[in-house]
Amino acid sequence: MSRTRVCPRVLIVGAGLAGTATAIRLLRFARGPLEILLLERRSDYRSAGVAYHREGNPWDHVFNIQAGRMSVFREDVLDFVRWANSEADRRGWPEPWAELEFAEQGPAPRRIFQDYLIERLAEARREACPGVVLVEADGEAVDMEVRPAGVDVTTCRLSASGLGAGQGPEPTLLRAEHVVLATGLELREPPFAAEVVTHPSFVRNPYSAAGVRKLAALPSEATVAIVGSVLSAYDSAGLLLRQGHTGSIHLISRTGTMFRTYPAGHEHGVLRLPCPKTLLEPYRNREEFLARVRSEWETACSAVARDHPGVDPAVIAERVAKAWEPHLPGVIERIPSSELRGLLDEFSTAIAAFRVGAVDYTMAVIERAMRPCDGPVKLLVGAVERIRPTESGRLAVSVAASGQRHAIEADLVVSNFGREWDYSRVGRPLWRNLLRRGIAVPHERTGRGLEVDGQGTLLGPGGKPAGPISAVGVPREGDELVRNGRTGAFAFNLASIKNQSIAVAAHVVGRLELRGDGLARDVAQFLGGVGNMEEAARGGFEEAVVLEVRRLATRSRREREMLDSRLGDRIRSMEGIPALPKDASRRDRLMRIVANRAAVERLTDVSVTPRQLRRQLGMANAEEPGD
């Protein structure tokens, strides 16, 4: 680059939900000069990704969970609902959304989430400290090389104002002190569709603009086959049904799993249930282990129904699955890797269905169409073996089910998203190069995602950090499972991304603040000397952590500066804490870092609901309802 930078740069690769959420946190957390470069290879995915971009989400595609759980800030539960009701520009919105008063437990269209993220990013940019700047660039990262002072990132088709020379079609080198990988879902190529990938009657990605156009233009009497029976399948089937489709719609599912409908007024909740102790016994074989799981599961569900009568029967499974998360790492530790991978492959869809449901807006139209025996929507349980073109221009779908073969001739075949979780099979140049260089390593235990440490830093083949490179979102799926017990899409959904964006942004800012003066060693020595924070609490540490929590959660720069000043006063008044440096400046900086780490732990505590978290941290408003 021709321009000499006077401040450190953090490069975020991917500007969808994960990248945008991390950029917002970096803009809030940074106290000194910092350039945040947000790189996106698809401009239509910016602040949206595949799940929320407007061109791939017609107005009938709604969040599968309630609008009240869609805030990008875990510490501000109703931020999205408030934005939708009082800030969103509704010009051009169709009915019923144009006049709707959004409710916490109600539906909301996915496509408006892009506007919400754009506006929250713009607000964070305006409220950032002096010298903290955001640069949004279009382009694709294709390679990286770790250097002593950071990372050299090779990009293609780079375009952005303020980056200096090197823009254009030729590869461009970007230098960053830290890189955050927020690349989102990778597409798996289904082997059964090799003959029809480019066929006009085959929709590979139903969340693409082309896929939506094909569904919208389909004659109402056409026969449709949808590979899958869960959320992406419901979106496609629901879109057809709402526009008056009368022809047959076949949902083809290997497992036959159907999602539950959330009851009216459903709220997210966390129960504390006993550990399923028999699952911590040594692993013997698949059948014996599954028998223990079924027994413990039935016992837990019965206990919830008996001891928590206020829990709707429809969400008992969700409550149990969530309550088991803290215990799952210990369970998984006892399962051999090959067996674990097989169990995940076999039961991942069923696990997802236990862990989450879908709102009535989506499910009602599907269930009505399935209820009569001659309804237009039919579920076929089996595995798609082959899709081939016919002379008539239609597609023939061969399905193996219970020792039988079924054949469906369809006017349109829609394949669900089919993400690729094994990064050794991802074809994008960036991942091929990162694996070749040993900067990224596929997750050994699960085969899903990449090896990272507890702060999301990529680990190399030897298990040590590969460099100043972090990951947020999908690449952390396997680690989230074995470290935190988060299963299925909950390893990389909005709830996980909220926490990961907080932790990664705080880690990156802290790492940059620690550069070059040995303070990182002091932090390690202090934490080793104190052991836990009980000693520190006696010196006023608890108040310092509360102030830091509020600073991290505050949107206004003026309020953050005021809280930062109060935090400095509190730290300087501390007494009786061992293992502190004698130099006052280093001591204050060290305590700020330690307080920051404790504050991040509290903000990312998943043992409570976001609303409970706000009350614990003293951040709830008086008008907020209780739990």
Side-chain angles (χ1 to χ4, degrees):
M1 306 296 293
S2 62
R3 183 167 65 96
T4 300
R5 291 185 291 114
V6 296
C7 67
R9 170 187 285 159
V10 176
L11 171 63
I12 303 175
V13 180
L17 167 60
T20 301
T22 306
I24 290 171
R25 294 297 184 176
L26 285 167
L27 288 164
R28 282 191 181 187
F29 294 174
R31 286 182 287 229
L34 179 67
E35 180 187 283
I36 302 157
L37 177 54
L38 194 51
L39 182 70
E40 176 54 56
R41 65 191 181 103
R42 292 191 52 165
S43 58
D44 57 327
Y45 276 22
R46 185 170 291 280
S47 293
V50 67
Y52 307 113
H53 72 114
R54 300 184 197 96
E55 293 183 5
N57 284 284
W59 286 95
D60 283 335
H61 284 185
V62 302
F63 301 121
N64 61 289
I65 59 176
Q66 300 90 341
R69 295 171 65 183
M70 291 305 300
S71 169
V72 76
F73 307 116
R74 189 164 188 267
E75 70 278 10
D76 193 355
V77 186
L78 297 180
D79 183 62
F80 172 76
V81 173
R82 288 196 303 270
W83 172 86
N85 284 331
S86 61
E87 299 179 48
D89 182 356
R90 299 198 184 195
R91 290 175 296 180
W93 287 21
E95 294 295 341
W97 309 114
E99 302 299 329
L100 181 69
E101 179 76 14
F102 290 93
E104 184 176 357
Q105 286 83 30
R110 282 207 298 265
R111 61 181 289 131
I112 70 174
F113 201 65
Q114 187 169 20
D115 290 332
Y116 167 65
L117 289 177
I118 288 171
E119 293 189 20
R120 287 298 176 256
L121 180 64
E123 176 191 65
R125 185 184 211 164
R126 292 192 304 270
E127 295 293 330
C129 290
V132 179
V133 298
L134 174 69
V135 177
E136 297 182 84
D138 292 332
E140 180 178 8
V142 296
D143 198 2
M144 295 183 189
E145 188 168 358
V146 176
R147 300 293 189 185
V151 185
D152 286 350
V153 182
T154 303
T155 65
C156 291
R157 303 181 300 280
L158 183 67
S159 175
S161 60
L163 282 181
Q167 301 180 52
E170 296 300 318
T172 302
L173 193 68
L174 292 175
R175 290 177 178 159
E177 279 69 27
H178 202 105
V179 173
V180 178
L181 298 173
T183 49
L185 299 169
E186 301 292 342
L187 195 66
R188 172 184 291 178
E189 295 303 328
F192 55 73
E195 300 173 65
V196 297
V197 169
T198 60
H199 196 283
S201 296
F202 181 73
V203 175
R204 175 64 193 91
N205 182 358
Y207 296 107
S208 64
V212 170
R213 285 195 298 269
K214 286 183 180 180
L215 286 163
L218 195 67
S220 62
E221 70 278 4
T223 298
V224 180
I226 301 176
V227 183
S229 66
V230 290
L231 296 175
S232 59
Y234 303 158
D235 284 337
S236 297
L239 176 61
L240 292 171
L241 292 168
R242 291 181 189 279
Q243 65 186 24
H245 196 86
T246 58
S248 295
I249 302 174
H250 301 271
L251 303 181
I252 307 169
S253 168
R254 180 173 55 87
T255 64
T257 302
M258 295 289 292
F259 272 48
R260 297 164 289 107
T261 304
Y262 281 124
H266 170 67
E267 290 187 10
H268 176 51
V270 178
L271 298 179
R272 298 187 186 277
L273 301 179
C275 172
K277 292 183 179 180
T278 67
L279 301 188
L280 297 176
E281 296 174 3
Y283 184 87
R284 299 174 183 87
N285 57 65
R286 175 185 176 279
E287 289 71 22
E288 190 273 342
F289 175 73
L290 291 177
R292 281 188 277 146
V293 171
R294 282 190 290 269
S295 176
E296 289 280 8
W297 182 263
E298 291 169 2
T299 299
C301 289
S302 296
V304 172
R306 181 187 66 246
D307 301 336
H308 301 274
V311 175
D312 191 289
V315 296
I316 286 177
E318 177 186 287
R319 294 292 197 266
V320 173
K322 173 63 181 174
W324 277 14
E325 282 182 359
H327 311 298
L328 287 184
V331 176
I332 292 169
E333 185 179 354
R334 290 156 172 78
I335 305 175
S337 296
S338 60
E339 293 282 292
L340 176 61
R341 292 187 181 199
L343 290 168
L344 291 173
D345 290 344
E346 184 174 356
F347 295 106
S348 59
T349 301
I351 291 171
F354 284 136
R355 186 65 179 83
V356 70
V359 295
D360 183 67
Y361 183 93
T362 298
M363 295 303 300
V365 66
I366 304 295
E367 291 172 348
R368 282 197 302 269
M370 295 183 73
R371 197 167 295 131
C373 59
D374 59 346
V377 176
K378 301 173 177 63
L379 176 65
L380 175 59
V381 181
V384 176
E385 292 186 321
R386 181 186 180 191
I387 304 175
R388 60 177 179 81
T390 66
E391 293 182 359
S392 66
R394 305 176 89 198
L395 297 179
V397 184
S398 300
V399 182
S402 301
Q404 299 180 339
R405 293 290 189 276
H406 297 267
I408 299 172
E409 192 165 303
D411 298 289
L412 187 72
V413 176
V414 181
S415 176
N416 64 17
F417 192 81
R419 64 185 177 86
E420 179 57 75
W421 54 65
D422 183 351
Y423 279 70
S424 68
R425 297 200 295 244
V426 173
R428 284 178 54 189
L430 175 63
W431 293 115
R432 290 203 307 268
N433 287 325
L434 292 184
L435 267 64
R436 174 180 58 83
R437 291 182 181 276
I439 294 173
V441 176
H443 196 261
E444 181 179 3
R445 291 278 283 129
T446 65
R448 295 165 180 250
L450 304 171
E451 294 284 355
V452 298
D453 66 12
Q455 296 169 319
T457 304
L458 291 194
L459 300 178
K464 295 183 178 180
I469 304 173
S470 305
V472 176
V474 182
R476 291 172 63 167
E477 178 182 2
D479 184 76
E480 280 288 328
L481 177 63
V482 301
R483 189 184 300 275
N484 299 318
R486 299 181 74 81
T487 54
F490 270 78
F492 53 82
N493 72 347
L494 174 59
S496 291
I497 286 171
K498 291 178 190 181
N499 278 358
Q500 292 174 7
S501 65
I502 293 171
V504 166
H507 170 67
V508 171
V509 170
R511 179 182 173 276
L512 294 174
E513 291 179 347
L514 286 172
R515 290 185 306 164
D517 63 357
L519 197 57
R521 182 178 61 253
D522 290 346
V523 171
Q525 290 176 348
F526 172 78
L527 292 175
V530 173
N532 59 59
M533 291 303 166
E534 292 181 3
E535 293 178 71
R538 291 197 295 269
F541 185 77
E542 175 62 24
E543 184 181 342
V545 173
V546 170
L547 289 169
E548 178 67 355
V549 165
R550 294 179 178 175
R551 185 188 74 85
L552 296 178
T554 297
R555 288 158 58 171
S556 162
R557 183 177 79 190
R558 181 178 179 182
E559 291 182 30
R560 283 200 306 272
E561 290 173 344
M562 180 269 292
L563 289 165
D564 196 45
S565 176
R566 289 177 57 191
L567 174 62
D569 292 341
R570 175 70 275 181
I571 286 173
R572 285 187 290 274
S573 69
M574 288 184 187
E575 297 178 355
I577 300 178
L580 286 177
K582 294 181 179 180
D583 178 79
S585 174
R586 291 174 66 84
R587 181 171 63 248
D588 291 353
R589 290 175 60 204
L590 182 149
M591 289 308 302
R592 283 182 179 273
I593 292 166
V594 176
N596 176 266
R597 293 186 180 183
V600 168
E601 288 184 6
R602 297 193 187 184
L603 280 173
T604 57
D605 179 8
V606 296
S607 69
V608 294
T609 67
R611 182 168 280 121
Q612 288 169 334
L613 178 72
R614 283 176 61 79
R615 294 192 178 280
Q616 286 184 6
L617 299 177
M619 298 166 57
N621 298 321
E623 65 271 16
E624 289 185 15
D627 296 286

